[in-house]
Amino acid sequence: EAGVTQSPTHLIKTRGQQATLRCSPISGHTSVYWYQQALGLGLQFLLWYDEGEERNRGNFPPRFSGRQFPNYSSELNVNALELEDSALYLCASSPRKQGMITEAFFGQGTRLTVV
Amino acid sequence: SQQGEEDPQALSIQEGENATMNCSYKTSINNLQWYRQNSGRGLVHLILIRSNEREKHSGRLRVTLDTSKKSSSLLITASRAADTASYFCATVETGRRALIFGSGTRLQVQP
């Protein structure tokens, strides 16, 4: 069974540009989570999608947005990039069991560098 | 925002010793999970403990949960060099639709 896949692995952008990151969840998983991890730090919750809808978002500005497609894959868009957006962006998927969030399966991440 | 705080931030032990990491959180939870991250890549789920459970085992891992103190501990017994990684606790807050991670403990196991 294929795991969570993220693309691209690395992305270099210039300040002010837009970045698009992609995530394909494990087959059968309807929930997709996005996290930002700055170098050496913990994971900051960005967004949670389930069944095609945004269910929750973390404390990030509106220039961080995304969507989930009918096949449950997801896209994270970051507009007007700033230097401090440089980080590892992690996507995870999970099945929803009886409305509960259970274990999440992570992709290997996209390393975004803003120069 | 981060729900949990891990303690210690960093831990260095010798192979064969036990490693204990602690996690404290702030609100009521549905469950608490522990994850491992190698070299800044994807996280791997280790174990999940529900709010009505007090202890859980999985191989060399033992997790405890004290909801009255809002804390959890992860014990790795007979550690190996391959256990070197960062370990994170994550909580699902009651009524909140998010899996929130703590700040992590960096474990170094010396061969």
Side-chain angles (χ1 to χ4, degrees):
Chain A
E1 179 183 284
V4 177
T5 58
Q6 291 187 246
S7 64
T9 306
H10 294 85
L11 188 59
I12 299 175
K13 290 287 187 178
T14 303
R15 190 170 49 184
Q17 285 188 317
Q18 178 194 40
T20 298
L21 288 63
R22 297 179 176 83
C23 173
S24 293
I26 291 173
S27 178
H29 288 188
T30 61
S31 284
V32 170
Y33 311 92
W34 287 96
Y35 294 88
Q36 180 196 65
Q37 186 178 32
L39 191 62
L41 299 180
L43 280 73
Q44 299 294 325
F45 169 66
L46 266 165
L47 290 159
W48 176 36
Y49 291 97
D50 185 58
E51 300 277 355
E53 294 193 14
E54 182 181 303
R55 301 294 183 177
N56 201 1
R57 67 179 291 131
N59 189 24
F60 279 84
R63 58 190 186 82
F64 286 83
S65 65
R67 53 181 171 166
Q68 187 178 35
F69 299 99
N71 65 353
Y72 303 121
S73 67
S74 179
E75 199 172 85
L76 174 69
N77 294 293
V78 188
N79 293 320
L81 284 165
E82 300 177 2
L83 295 178
E84 49 265 37
D85 296 334
S86 295
L88 181 67
Y89 288 83
L90 292 161
C91 170
S93 72
S94 73
R96 289 191 68 200
K97 299 179 181 176
Q98 300 173 334
M100 289 271 297
I101 298 175
T102 58
E103 66 263 36
F105 297 81
F106 280 80
Q108 291 303 296
T110 293
R111 174 75 61 188
L112 173 64
T113 303
V114 183
V115 298
Chain B
S1 62
Q2 286 183 305
Q3 157 78 309
E5 293 296 327
E6 270 101 333
D7 170 54
Q9 291 187 340
L11 180 61
S12 182
I13 60 174
Q14 297 293 318
E15 214 166 20
E17 293 181 337
N18 295 341
T20 299
M21 287 158 269
N22 302 296
C23 168
S24 60
Y25 57 92
K26 299 172 184 172
T27 65
S28 63
I29 59 172
N30 286 326
N31 65 65
L32 184 144
Q33 305 175 31
W34 285 90
Y35 289 79
R36 183 184 72 210
Q37 184 180 35
N38 289 85
S39 302
R41 302 304 290 178
L43 280 74
V44 175
H45 180 264
L46 295 175
I47 195 165
L48 179 154
I49 186 165
R50 302 187 192 285
S51 59
N52 60 354
E53 298 176 312
R54 291 297 168 259
E55 188 170 309
K56 205 161 182 180
H57 296 255
S58 176
R60 294 185 296 113
L61 305 180
R62 182 174 79 103
V63 168
T64 61
L65 178 64
D66 187 333
T67 53
S68 67
K69 295 181 179 178
K70 292 186 170 58
S71 67
S72 173
S73 67
L74 171 67
L75 169 67
I76 304 174
T77 60
S79 62
R80 306 165 182 168
D83 294 329
T84 294
S86 291
Y87 292 82
F88 295 89
C89 70
T91 53
V92 179
E93 298 175 24
T94 304
R96 187 172 181 211
R97 298 176 169 188
L99 181 61
I100 304 298
F101 283 80
S103 51
T105 293
R106 292 186 304 279
L107 173 66
Q108 177 76 39
V109 181
Q110 307 286 354

